[in-house]
PDB file of all heavy atoms in Angstrom:
ATOM      1  N   SER A 194     -34.594  60.307 -25.862  1.00 95.00           N
ATOM      2  CA  SER A 194     -35.284  61.348 -25.083  1.00 95.00           C
ATOM      3  C   SER A 194     -34.432  62.595 -24.900  1.00 95.00           C
ATOM      4  O   SER A 194     -34.995  63.706 -24.715  1.00 95.00           O
ATOM      5  CB  SER A 194     -35.608  60.832 -23.661  1.00 95.00           C
ATOM      6  OG  SER A 194     -34.440  60.593 -22.878  1.00 95.00           O
ATOM      7  N   LEU A 195     -33.114  62.460 -25.029  1.00 95.00           N
ATOM      8  CA  LEU A 195     -32.189  63.584 -24.892  1.00 95.00           C
ATOM      9  C   LEU A 195     -31.913  64.327 -26.188  1.00 95.00           C
ATOM     10  O   LEU A 195     -31.258  65.326 -26.223  1.00 95.00           O
ATOM     11  CB  LEU A 195     -30.890  63.151 -24.240  1.00 95.00           C
ATOM     12  CG  LEU A 195     -30.986  62.643 -22.813  1.00 95.00           C
ATOM     13  CD1 LEU A 195     -29.679  62.049 -22.364  1.00 95.00           C
ATOM     14  CD2 LEU A 195     -31.402  63.744 -21.887  1.00 95.00           C
ATOM     15  N   LEU A 196     -32.475  63.757 -27.339  1.00 96.00           N
ATOM     16  CA  LEU A 196     -32.320  64.420 -28.606  1.00 96.00           C
ATOM     17  C   LEU A 196     -33.407  65.506 -28.801  1.00 96.00           C
ATOM     18  O   LEU A 196     -34.490  65.411 -28.274  1.00 96.00           O
ATOM     19  CB  LEU A 196     -32.391  63.374 -29.748  1.00 96.00           C
ATOM     20  CG  LEU A 196     -31.244  62.363 -29.883  1.00 96.00           C
ATOM     21  CD1 LEU A 196     -31.521  61.489 -31.068  1.00 96.00           C
ATOM     22  CD2 LEU A 196     -29.904  63.034 -29.959  1.00 96.00           C
ATOM     23  N   HIS A 197     -33.072  66.472 -29.648  1.00 96.00           N
ATOM     24  CA  HIS A 197     -34.062  67.465 -30.080  1.00 96.00           C
ATOM     25  C   HIS A 197     -35.178  66.692 -30.837  1.00 96.00           C
ATOM     26  O   HIS A 197     -34.872  65.813 -31.654  1.00 96.00           O
ATOM     27  CB  HIS A 197     -33.408  68.522 -30.961  1.00 96.00           C
ATOM     28  CG  HIS A 197     -34.292  69.648 -31.263  1.00 96.00           C
ATOM     29  ND1 HIS A 197     -35.350  69.607 -32.105  1.00 96.00           N
ATOM     30  CD2 HIS A 197     -34.215  70.922 -30.760  1.00 96.00           C
ATOM     31  CE1 HIS A 197     -35.905  70.820 -32.193  1.00 96.00           C
ATOM     32  NE2 HIS A 197     -35.293  71.624 -31.362  1.00 96.00           N
ATOM     33  N   PRO A 198     -36.420  67.078 -30.547  1.00 96.00           N
ATOM     34  CA  PRO A 198     -37.538  66.307 -31.202  1.00 96.00           C
ATOM     35  C   PRO A 198     -37.421  66.253 -32.738  1.00 96.00           C
ATOM     36  O   PRO A 198     -37.790  65.261 -33.347  1.00 96.00           O
ATOM     37  CB  PRO A 198     -38.782  67.100 -30.780  1.00 96.00           C
ATOM     38  CG  PRO A 198     -38.390  67.702 -29.484  1.00 96.00           C
ATOM     39  CD  PRO A 198     -36.946  67.997 -29.530  1.00 96.00           C
ATOM     40  N   ASP A 199     -36.906  67.315 -33.321  1.00 96.00           N
ATOM     41  CA  ASP A 199     -36.769  67.361 -34.773  1.00 96.00           C
ATOM     42  C   ASP A 199     -35.666  66.428 -35.300  1.00 96.00           C
ATOM     43  O   ASP A 199     -35.609  66.124 -36.506  1.00 96.00           O
ATOM     44  CB  ASP A 199     -36.520  68.736 -35.281  1.00 96.00           C
ATOM     45  CG  ASP A 199     -37.749  69.703 -35.048  1.00 96.00           C
ATOM     46  OD1 ASP A 199     -38.816  69.160 -34.783  1.00 96.00           O
ATOM     47  OD2 ASP A 199     -37.516  70.893 -35.030  1.00 96.00           O
ATOM     48  N   ASP A 200     -34.762  66.013 -34.423  1.00 97.00           N
ATOM     49  CA  ASP A 200     -33.626  65.169 -34.842  1.00 97.00           C
ATOM     50  C   ASP A 200     -33.812  63.703 -34.551  1.00 97.00           C
ATOM     51  O   ASP A 200     -32.953  62.886 -34.975  1.00 97.00           O
ATOM     52  CB  ASP A 200     -32.362  65.696 -34.138  1.00 97.00           C
ATOM     53  CG  ASP A 200     -32.026  67.123 -34.484  1.00 97.00           C
ATOM     54  OD1 ASP A 200     -32.424  67.574 -35.530  1.00 97.00           O
ATOM     55  OD2 ASP A 200     -31.333  67.818 -33.667  1.00 97.00           O
ATOM     56  N   ARG A 201     -34.830  63.289 -33.842  1.00 96.00           N
ATOM     57  CA  ARG A 201     -35.013  61.923 -33.399  1.00 96.00           C
ATOM     58  C   ARG A 201     -35.225  60.971 -34.569  1.00 96.00           C
ATOM     59  O   ARG A 201     -34.559  59.989 -34.747  1.00 96.00           O
ATOM     60  CB  ARG A 201     -36.134  61.836 -32.378  1.00 96.00           C
ATOM     61  CG  ARG A 201     -35.812  62.477 -31.060  1.00 96.00           C
ATOM     62  CD  ARG A 201     -37.030  62.531 -30.201  1.00 96.00           C
ATOM     63  NE  ARG A 201     -36.699  63.325 -28.943  1.00 96.00           N
ATOM     64  CZ  ARG A 201     -37.631  63.776 -28.084  1.00 96.00           C
ATOM     65  NH1 ARG A 201     -38.916  63.505 -28.321  1.00 96.00           N
ATOM     66  NH2 ARG A 201     -37.305  64.433 -27.067  1.00 96.00           N
ATOM     67  N   GLU A 202     -36.167  61.315 -35.468  1.00 96.00           N
ATOM     68  CA  GLU A 202     -36.527  60.437 -36.542  1.00 96.00           C
ATOM     69  C   GLU A 202     -35.370  60.289 -37.560  1.00 96.00           C
ATOM     70  O   GLU A 202     -35.047  59.262 -38.023  1.00 96.00           O
ATOM     71  CB  GLU A 202     -37.841  60.875 -37.215  1.00 96.00           C
ATOM     72  CG  GLU A 202     -38.328  59.972 -38.301  1.00 96.00           C
ATOM     73  CD  GLU A 202     -38.679  58.548 -37.773  1.00 96.00           C
ATOM     74  OE1 GLU A 202     -38.867  58.421 -36.573  1.00 96.00           O
ATOM     75  OE2 GLU A 202     -38.779  57.662 -38.599  1.00 96.00           O
ATOM     76  N   PRO A 203     -34.771  61.414 -37.996  1.00 96.00           N
ATOM     77  CA  PRO A 203     -33.595  61.280 -38.936  1.00 96.00           C
ATOM     78  C   PRO A 203     -32.467  60.475 -38.286  1.00 96.00           C
ATOM     79  O   PRO A 203     -31.860  59.646 -39.070  1.00 96.00           O
ATOM     80  CB  PRO A 203     -33.151  62.749 -39.127  1.00 96.00           C
ATOM     81  CG  PRO A 203     -34.359  63.534 -38.838  1.00 96.00           C
ATOM     82  CD  PRO A 203     -35.122  62.857 -37.795  1.00 96.00           C
ATOM     83  N   THR A 204     -32.282  60.561 -37.011  1.00 96.00           N
ATOM     84  CA  THR A 204     -31.205  59.750 -36.334  1.00 96.00           C
ATOM     85  C   THR A 204     -31.594  58.285 -36.338  1.00 96.00           C
ATOM     86  O   THR A 204     -30.794  57.410 -36.589  1.00 96.00           O
ATOM     87  CB  THR A 204     -30.964  60.311 -34.922  1.00 96.00           C
ATOM     88  OG1 THR A 204     -30.575  61.618 -34.917  1.00 96.00           O
ATOM     89  CG2 THR A 204     -29.838  59.450 -34.208  1.00 96.00           C
ATOM     90  N   ARG A 205     -32.863  58.000 -35.999  1.00 96.00           N
ATOM     91  CA  ARG A 205     -33.278  56.617 -35.962  1.00 96.00           C
ATOM     92  C   ARG A 205     -33.096  55.987 -37.357  1.00 96.00           C
ATOM     93  O   ARG A 205     -32.670  54.815 -37.490  1.00 96.00           O
ATOM     94  CB  ARG A 205     -34.749  56.546 -35.542  1.00 96.00           C
ATOM     95  CG  ARG A 205     -35.325  55.124 -35.370  1.00 96.00           C
ATOM     96  CD  ARG A 205     -36.741  55.130 -35.122  1.00 96.00           C
ATOM     97  NE  ARG A 205     -37.489  55.688 -36.282  1.00 96.00           N
ATOM     98  CZ  ARG A 205     -37.786  55.000 -37.403  1.00 96.00           C
ATOM     99  NH1 ARG A 205     -37.374  53.723 -37.488  1.00 96.00           N
ATOM    100  NH2 ARG A 205     -38.447  55.609 -38.359  1.00 96.00           N
ATOM    101  N   LYS A 206     -33.475  56.717 -38.409  1.00 96.00           N
ATOM    102  CA  LYS A 206     -33.359  56.207 -39.771  1.00 96.00           C
ATOM    103  C   LYS A 206     -31.906  55.952 -40.186  1.00 96.00           C
ATOM    104  O   LYS A 206     -31.606  54.963 -40.821  1.00 96.00           O
ATOM    105  CB  LYS A 206     -34.050  57.086 -40.780  1.00 96.00           C
ATOM    106  CG  LYS A 206     -35.571  57.158 -40.709  1.00 96.00           C
ATOM    107  CD  LYS A 206     -36.154  58.112 -41.700  1.00 96.00           C
ATOM    108  CE  LYS A 206     -37.692  58.056 -41.697  1.00 96.00           C
ATOM    109  NZ  LYS A 206     -38.292  59.027 -42.598  1.00 96.00           N
TER     110      LYS A 206
END
Side-chain angles (χ1 to χ4, degrees):
S194 70
L195 295 173
L196 293 183
H197 190 284
D199 294 343
D200 299 334
R201 292 171 186 168
E202 186 61 19
T204 302
R205 184 188 64 79
K206 290 182 177 179

